[in-house]
mmCIF file of all heavy atoms in Angstrom:
data_model
loop_
_atom_site.group_PDB
_atom_site.id
_atom_site.type_symbol
_atom_site.label_atom_id
_atom_site.label_comp_id
_atom_site.label_asym_id
_atom_site.label_seq_id
_atom_site.Cartn_x
_atom_site.Cartn_y
_atom_site.Cartn_z
ATOM 1 N N ILE A 29 7.913 -9.826 7.427
ATOM 2 C CA ILE A 29 9.076 -10.516 7.179
ATOM 3 C C ILE A 29 9.832 -11.024 8.456
ATOM 4 O O ILE A 29 10.161 -12.198 8.673
ATOM 5 C CB ILE A 29 10.169 -9.764 6.161
ATOM 6 C CG1 ILE A 29 9.426 -9.655 4.831
ATOM 7 C CG2 ILE A 29 11.349 -10.517 6.170
ATOM 8 C CD1 ILE A 29 10.295 -8.774 3.960
ATOM 9 N N GLN A 30 9.928 -10.062 9.301
ATOM 10 C CA GLN A 30 10.496 -10.452 10.556
ATOM 11 C C GLN A 30 9.713 -11.411 11.514
ATOM 12 O O GLN A 30 10.144 -12.418 12.118
ATOM 13 C CB GLN A 30 10.694 -9.145 11.549
ATOM 14 C CG GLN A 30 11.525 -9.392 12.723
ATOM 15 C CD GLN A 30 11.694 -8.106 13.571
ATOM 16 O OE1 GLN A 30 11.128 -7.053 13.205
ATOM 17 N NE2 GLN A 30 12.444 -8.111 14.577
ATOM 18 N N MET A 31 8.378 -11.197 11.303
ATOM 19 C CA MET A 31 7.339 -12.011 12.116
ATOM 20 C C MET A 31 7.417 -13.489 11.647
ATOM 21 O O MET A 31 7.209 -14.395 12.365
ATOM 22 C CB MET A 31 5.982 -11.484 11.999
ATOM 23 C CG MET A 31 4.991 -12.107 12.830
ATOM 24 S SD MET A 31 3.368 -11.378 12.816
ATOM 25 C CE MET A 31 2.889 -11.647 11.027
ATOM 26 N N THR A 32 7.566 -13.607 10.225
ATOM 27 C CA THR A 32 7.596 -15.028 9.753
ATOM 28 C C THR A 32 9.046 -15.657 9.490
ATOM 29 O O THR A 32 9.088 -16.624 9.042
ATOM 30 C CB THR A 32 6.859 -14.898 8.382
ATOM 31 O OG1 THR A 32 7.497 -14.065 7.493
ATOM 32 C CG2 THR A 32 5.452 -14.554 8.427
ATOM 33 N N GLU A 33 9.932 -14.849 9.818
ATOM 34 C CA GLU A 33 11.389 -15.381 9.640
ATOM 35 C C GLU A 33 11.686 -16.635 10.263
ATOM 36 O O GLU A 33 12.307 -17.625 9.510
ATOM 37 C CB GLU A 33 12.438 -14.332 10.279
ATOM 38 C CG GLU A 33 13.884 -14.587 9.741
ATOM 39 C CD GLU A 33 14.772 -13.390 10.320
ATOM 40 O OE1 GLU A 33 14.245 -12.630 11.253
ATOM 41 O OE2 GLU A 33 15.942 -13.360 9.960
ATOM 42 N N ARG A 34 11.182 -16.929 11.303
ATOM 43 C CA ARG A 34 11.496 -18.260 12.044
ATOM 44 C C ARG A 34 10.907 -19.537 11.307
ATOM 45 O O ARG A 34 11.293 -20.587 11.423
ATOM 46 C CB ARG A 34 11.225 -18.181 13.414
ATOM 47 C CG ARG A 34 9.636 -18.222 13.839
ATOM 48 C CD ARG A 34 9.456 -17.922 15.335
ATOM 49 N NE ARG A 34 8.062 -18.244 15.729
ATOM 50 C CZ ARG A 34 7.141 -17.212 15.712
ATOM 51 N NH1 ARG A 34 7.481 -16.034 15.263
ATOM 52 N NH2 ARG A 34 5.929 -17.379 16.076
ATOM 53 N N PHE A 35 9.846 -19.220 10.564
ATOM 54 C CA PHE A 35 9.097 -20.222 9.782
ATOM 55 C C PHE A 35 9.771 -20.444 8.383
ATOM 56 O O PHE A 35 9.655 -21.599 7.921
ATOM 57 C CB PHE A 35 7.590 -19.998 9.660
ATOM 58 C CG PHE A 35 7.068 -19.836 11.035
ATOM 59 C CD1 PHE A 35 6.521 -18.543 11.302
ATOM 60 C CD2 PHE A 35 6.867 -20.772 11.973
ATOM 61 C CE1 PHE A 35 5.933 -18.199 12.627
ATOM 62 C CE2 PHE A 35 6.350 -20.479 13.140
ATOM 63 C CZ PHE A 35 5.824 -19.364 13.548
ATOM 64 N N MET A 36 10.353 -19.426 7.922
ATOM 65 C CA MET A 36 11.019 -19.537 6.606
ATOM 66 C C MET A 36 12.428 -20.106 6.633
ATOM 67 O O MET A 36 12.834 -20.698 5.711
ATOM 68 C CB MET A 36 11.055 -18.067 5.982
ATOM 69 C CG MET A 36 9.713 -17.494 5.647
ATOM 70 S SD MET A 36 8.764 -18.422 4.451
ATOM 71 C CE MET A 36 7.719 -19.459 5.619
ATOM 72 N N THR A 37 13.092 -19.822 7.755
ATOM 73 C CA THR A 37 14.520 -20.376 7.869
ATOM 74 C C THR A 37 15.408 -19.810 6.752
ATOM 75 O O THR A 37 14.937 -19.012 5.852
ATOM 76 C CB THR A 37 14.489 -21.896 8.017
ATOM 77 O OG1 THR A 37 14.356 -22.425 6.740
ATOM 78 C CG2 THR A 37 13.542 -22.390 9.037
ATOM 79 N N THR A 38 16.622 -20.409 6.712
ATOM 80 C CA THR A 38 17.546 -19.951 5.657
ATOM 81 C C THR A 38 17.721 -20.977 4.572
ATOM 82 O O THR A 38 18.436 -20.775 3.591
ATOM 83 C CB THR A 38 18.881 -19.721 6.291
ATOM 84 O OG1 THR A 38 19.394 -20.849 7.044
ATOM 85 C CG2 THR A 38 18.920 -18.434 7.227
ATOM 86 N N ASP A 39 17.024 -22.041 4.720
ATOM 87 C CA ASP A 39 17.009 -23.175 3.681
ATOM 88 C C ASP A 39 16.392 -22.808 2.472
ATOM 89 O O ASP A 39 15.335 -22.265 2.525
ATOM 90 C CB ASP A 39 16.427 -24.481 4.288
ATOM 91 C CG ASP A 39 16.743 -25.649 3.559
ATOM 92 O OD1 ASP A 39 16.142 -25.938 2.505
ATOM 93 O OD2 ASP A 39 17.719 -26.487 4.028
ATOM 94 N N VAL A 40 16.863 -23.292 1.274
ATOM 95 C CA VAL A 40 16.359 -22.958 0.051
ATOM 96 C C VAL A 40 14.956 -23.657 -0.213
ATOM 97 O O VAL A 40 14.094 -23.317 -0.894
ATOM 98 C CB VAL A 40 17.287 -23.361 -1.126
ATOM 99 C CG1 VAL A 40 17.480 -24.826 -1.212
ATOM 100 C CG2 VAL A 40 16.763 -22.792 -2.458
ATOM 101 N N LEU A 41 14.780 -24.821 0.477
ATOM 102 C CA LEU A 41 13.544 -25.673 0.328
ATOM 103 C C LEU A 41 12.610 -25.760 1.483
ATOM 104 O O LEU A 41 11.413 -25.843 1.421
ATOM 105 C CB LEU A 41 13.903 -27.029 -0.194
ATOM 106 C CG LEU A 41 14.539 -27.165 -1.526
ATOM 107 C CD1 LEU A 41 14.845 -28.688 -1.741
ATOM 108 C CD2 LEU A 41 13.634 -26.731 -2.591
ATOM 109 N N PHE A 42 13.253 -25.860 2.664
ATOM 110 C CA PHE A 42 12.557 -26.372 3.919
ATOM 111 C C PHE A 42 12.296 -25.264 5.047
ATOM 112 O O PHE A 42 13.337 -24.551 5.147
ATOM 113 C CB PHE A 42 13.139 -27.476 4.594
ATOM 114 C CG PHE A 42 13.356 -28.750 3.518
ATOM 115 C CD1 PHE A 42 14.590 -29.035 3.123
ATOM 116 C CD2 PHE A 42 12.240 -29.342 3.257
ATOM 117 C CE1 PHE A 42 14.743 -30.124 2.330
ATOM 118 C CE2 PHE A 42 12.424 -30.551 2.323
ATOM 119 C CZ PHE A 42 13.564 -30.864 1.896
ATOM 120 N N GLY A 43 11.064 -25.092 5.407
ATOM 121 C CA GLY A 43 10.850 -24.109 6.465
ATOM 122 C C GLY A 43 10.350 -24.944 7.693
ATOM 123 O O GLY A 43 10.649 -26.174 7.930
ATOM 124 N N TYR A 44 9.500 -24.209 8.498
ATOM 125 C CA TYR A 44 9.005 -24.868 9.737
ATOM 126 C C TYR A 44 7.511 -24.374 9.792
ATOM 127 O O TYR A 44 7.131 -23.284 9.437
ATOM 128 C CB TYR A 44 9.653 -24.312 11.037
ATOM 129 C CG TYR A 44 9.427 -25.194 12.235
ATOM 130 C CD1 TYR A 44 10.216 -26.365 12.484
ATOM 131 C CD2 TYR A 44 8.433 -24.945 13.121
ATOM 132 C CE1 TYR A 44 10.063 -27.075 13.667
ATOM 133 C CE2 TYR A 44 8.161 -25.589 14.200
ATOM 134 C CZ TYR A 44 8.879 -26.797 14.447
ATOM 135 O OH TYR A 44 8.629 -27.588 15.616
ATOM 136 N N VAL A 45 6.626 -25.348 10.092
ATOM 137 C CA VAL A 45 5.233 -25.042 10.100
ATOM 138 C C VAL A 45 4.820 -23.930 10.975
ATOM 139 O O VAL A 45 5.052 -23.890 12.175
ATOM 140 C CB VAL A 45 4.472 -26.315 10.472
ATOM 141 C CG1 VAL A 45 2.825 -26.060 10.530
ATOM 142 C CG2 VAL A 45 4.689 -27.444 9.395
ATOM 143 N N THR A 46 4.091 -22.951 10.463
ATOM 144 C CA THR A 46 3.854 -21.689 11.228
ATOM 145 C C THR A 46 2.790 -22.001 12.220
ATOM 146 O O THR A 46 1.922 -22.904 12.225
ATOM 147 C CB THR A 46 3.166 -20.839 10.255
ATOM 148 O OG1 THR A 46 3.035 -19.390 10.926
ATOM 149 C CG2 THR A 46 1.820 -21.082 9.740
ATOM 150 N N ASN A 47 2.737 -21.082 13.275
ATOM 151 C CA ASN A 47 1.612 -21.201 14.381
ATOM 152 C C ASN A 47 0.955 -19.748 14.305
ATOM 153 O O ASN A 47 0.248 -19.584 15.252
ATOM 154 C CB ASN A 47 2.140 -21.576 15.685
ATOM 155 C CG ASN A 47 3.230 -20.439 16.218
ATOM 156 O OD1 ASN A 47 3.423 -19.522 15.549
ATOM 157 N ND2 ASN A 47 3.650 -20.619 17.346
ATOM 158 N N LEU A 48 1.156 -19.014 13.252
ATOM 159 C CA LEU A 48 0.587 -17.738 13.078
ATOM 160 C C LEU A 48 -0.939 -17.917 12.622
ATOM 161 O O LEU A 48 -1.220 -18.817 12.024
ATOM 162 C CB LEU A 48 1.222 -16.854 12.144
ATOM 163 C CG LEU A 48 2.719 -16.508 12.458
ATOM 164 C CD1 LEU A 48 3.291 -15.815 11.476
ATOM 165 C CD2 LEU A 48 2.788 -15.554 13.838
ATOM 166 N N CYS A 49 -1.798 -16.904 12.796
ATOM 167 C CA CYS A 49 -2.971 -16.842 12.306
ATOM 168 C C CYS A 49 -3.287 -15.426 11.530
ATOM 169 O O CYS A 49 -2.425 -14.556 11.781
ATOM 170 C CB CYS A 49 -4.136 -17.016 13.287
ATOM 171 S SG CYS A 49 -4.262 -15.856 14.677
ATOM 172 N N LEU A 50 -4.302 -15.310 10.871
ATOM 173 C CA LEU A 50 -4.521 -14.177 10.025
ATOM 174 C C LEU A 50 -4.466 -12.893 10.803
ATOM 175 O O LEU A 50 -3.914 -11.713 10.379
ATOM 176 C CB LEU A 50 -5.610 -14.232 9.085
ATOM 177 C CG LEU A 50 -5.834 -13.116 8.030
ATOM 178 C CD1 LEU A 50 -4.575 -13.075 7.088
ATOM 179 C CD2 LEU A 50 -7.088 -13.472 7.243
ATOM 180 N N THR A 51 -5.139 -12.907 11.944
ATOM 181 C CA THR A 51 -5.174 -11.635 12.823
ATOM 182 C C THR A 51 -3.793 -11.103 13.221
ATOM 183 O O THR A 51 -3.698 -9.960 13.464
ATOM 184 C CB THR A 51 -5.953 -12.044 14.132
ATOM 185 O OG1 THR A 51 -5.457 -13.122 14.816
ATOM 186 C CG2 THR A 51 -7.454 -12.250 13.856
ATOM 187 N N ASP A 52 -2.701 -11.949 13.088
ATOM 188 C CA ASP A 52 -1.347 -11.540 13.599
ATOM 189 C C ASP A 52 -0.850 -10.670 12.491
ATOM 190 O O ASP A 52 0.033 -9.987 12.638
ATOM 191 C CB ASP A 52 -0.440 -12.710 13.650
ATOM 192 C CG ASP A 52 -0.917 -13.677 14.826
ATOM 193 O OD1 ASP A 52 -1.131 -13.166 15.903
ATOM 194 O OD2 ASP A 52 -0.806 -14.913 14.609
ATOM 195 N N TYR A 53 -1.520 -10.665 11.229
ATOM 196 C CA TYR A 53 -0.983 -9.856 10.131
ATOM 197 C C TYR A 53 -1.458 -8.377 10.188
ATOM 198 O O TYR A 53 -0.942 -7.489 9.590
ATOM 199 C CB TYR A 53 -1.433 -10.439 8.812
ATOM 200 C CG TYR A 53 -0.517 -11.417 8.259
ATOM 201 C CD1 TYR A 53 -0.228 -12.698 9.019
ATOM 202 C CD2 TYR A 53 0.305 -11.240 7.175
ATOM 203 C CE1 TYR A 53 0.674 -13.675 8.541
ATOM 204 C CE2 TYR A 53 1.283 -12.184 6.705
ATOM 205 C CZ TYR A 53 1.464 -13.252 7.376
ATOM 206 O OH TYR A 53 2.276 -14.209 6.913
ATOM 207 N N PHE A 54 -2.581 -8.169 11.012
ATOM 208 C CA PHE A 54 -3.112 -6.789 11.018
ATOM 209 C C PHE A 54 -2.451 -5.969 12.065
ATOM 210 O O PHE A 54 -2.009 -6.327 13.108
ATOM 211 C CB PHE A 54 -4.650 -6.951 11.433
ATOM 212 C CG PHE A 54 -5.468 -7.428 10.359
ATOM 213 C CD1 PHE A 54 -5.863 -8.708 10.092
ATOM 214 C CD2 PHE A 54 -6.040 -6.426 9.378
ATOM 215 C CE1 PHE A 54 -6.611 -9.150 9.113
ATOM 216 C CE2 PHE A 54 -6.948 -6.885 8.359
ATOM 217 C CZ PHE A 54 -7.222 -8.287 8.215
ATOM 218 N N ASP A 55 -2.391 -4.587 11.518
ATOM 219 C CA ASP A 55 -2.030 -3.503 12.472
ATOM 220 C C ASP A 55 -3.313 -3.035 13.132
ATOM 221 O O ASP A 55 -4.160 -2.556 12.478
ATOM 222 C CB ASP A 55 -1.473 -2.412 11.643
ATOM 223 C CG ASP A 55 -1.030 -1.118 12.433
ATOM 224 O OD1 ASP A 55 -1.878 -0.809 13.476
ATOM 225 O OD2 ASP A 55 0.086 -0.660 12.287
ATOM 226 N N MET A 56 -3.488 -3.271 14.430
ATOM 227 C CA MET A 56 -4.677 -3.161 15.078
ATOM 228 C C MET A 56 -5.229 -1.694 15.130
ATOM 229 O O MET A 56 -6.435 -1.332 15.031
ATOM 230 C CB MET A 56 -4.540 -3.653 16.525
ATOM 231 C CG MET A 56 -4.604 -5.117 16.595
ATOM 232 S SD MET A 56 -6.033 -5.829 15.762
ATOM 233 C CE MET A 56 -5.609 -7.566 15.561
ATOM 234 N N GLU A 57 -4.414 -0.622 15.205
ATOM 235 C CA GLU A 57 -4.775 0.579 15.089
ATOM 236 C C GLU A 57 -5.351 0.933 13.700
ATOM 237 O O GLU A 57 -6.431 1.562 13.624
ATOM 238 C CB GLU A 57 -3.505 1.650 15.338
ATOM 239 C CG GLU A 57 -3.037 1.656 16.797
ATOM 240 C CD GLU A 57 -1.971 2.558 16.977
ATOM 241 O OE1 GLU A 57 -1.633 3.401 15.955
ATOM 242 O OE2 GLU A 57 -1.495 2.714 18.112
ATOM 243 N N LYS A 58 -4.714 0.378 12.650
ATOM 244 C CA LYS A 58 -5.350 0.653 11.242
ATOM 245 C C LYS A 58 -6.631 -0.100 11.131
ATOM 246 O O LYS A 58 -7.675 0.394 10.559
ATOM 247 C CB LYS A 58 -4.333 0.053 10.216
ATOM 248 C CG LYS A 58 -3.023 0.889 10.113
ATOM 249 C CD LYS A 58 -2.151 0.234 9.000
ATOM 250 C CE LYS A 58 -0.911 0.914 8.889
ATOM 251 N NZ LYS A 58 0.026 0.371 7.868
ATOM 252 N N LEU A 59 -6.739 -1.260 11.660
ATOM 253 C CA LEU A 59 -8.074 -2.079 11.671
ATOM 254 C C LEU A 59 -9.084 -1.339 12.411
ATOM 255 O O LEU A 59 -10.176 -1.339 11.837
ATOM 256 C CB LEU A 59 -7.734 -3.469 12.200
ATOM 257 C CG LEU A 59 -8.988 -4.422 12.186
ATOM 258 C CD1 LEU A 59 -9.523 -4.626 10.850
ATOM 259 C CD2 LEU A 59 -8.620 -5.782 12.818
ATOM 260 N N ASP A 60 -8.830 -0.797 13.613
ATOM 261 C CA ASP A 60 -9.779 -0.170 14.424
ATOM 262 C C ASP A 60 -10.219 1.074 13.612
ATOM 263 O O ASP A 60 -11.497 1.489 13.518
ATOM 264 C CB ASP A 60 -9.292 0.208 15.683
ATOM 265 C CG ASP A 60 -9.138 -0.980 16.601
ATOM 266 O OD1 ASP A 60 -9.761 -2.041 16.398
ATOM 267 O OD2 ASP A 60 -8.395 -0.894 17.565
ATOM 268 N N ALA A 61 -9.348 1.725 12.979
ATOM 269 C CA ALA A 61 -9.724 3.046 12.245
ATOM 270 C C ALA A 61 -10.592 2.695 10.997
ATOM 271 O O ALA A 61 -11.513 3.422 10.713
ATOM 272 C CB ALA A 61 -8.425 3.674 11.871
ATOM 273 N N ALA A 62 -10.255 1.554 10.382
ATOM 274 C CA ALA A 62 -11.102 1.246 9.190
ATOM 275 C C ALA A 62 -12.469 0.845 9.630
ATOM 276 O O ALA A 62 -13.425 1.199 8.948
ATOM 277 C CB ALA A 62 -10.412 0.002 8.521
ATOM 278 N N ARG A 63 -12.552 0.121 10.730
ATOM 279 C CA ARG A 63 -13.966 -0.269 11.172
ATOM 280 C C ARG A 63 -14.801 1.007 11.573
ATOM 281 O O ARG A 63 -15.992 1.080 11.333
ATOM 282 C CB ARG A 63 -13.840 -1.133 12.413
ATOM 283 C CG ARG A 63 -13.374 -2.625 12.020
ATOM 284 C CD ARG A 63 -12.852 -3.429 13.172
ATOM 285 N NE ARG A 63 -12.761 -4.853 12.902
ATOM 286 C CZ ARG A 63 -12.281 -5.682 13.762
ATOM 287 N NH1 ARG A 63 -11.935 -5.270 14.986
ATOM 288 N NH2 ARG A 63 -12.034 -6.938 13.334
#
């Protein structure tokens, strides 16, 4: 939520286009442990 807050903004309708990618969502320690 904190990571995406700047793209969601406080507006009820409008946000800002993200520059995130899916790898940003992973906890790298958890991912390495799973692998």
Side-chain angles (χ1 to χ4, degrees):
I29 290 173
Q30 183 179 10
M31 185 175 74
T32 58
E33 185 176 15
R34 68 187 189 275
F35 306 113
M36 292 304 95
T37 74
T38 58
D39 192 284
V40 68
L41 292 177
F42 303 108
Y44 196 88
V45 174
T46 189
N47 63 359
L48 297 173
C49 58
L50 189 56
T51 54
D52 295 320
Y53 273 67
F54 281 90
D55 181 313
M56 287 304 163
E57 290 187 3
K58 294 179 181 177
L59 180 59
D60 289 343
R63 287 171 172 168

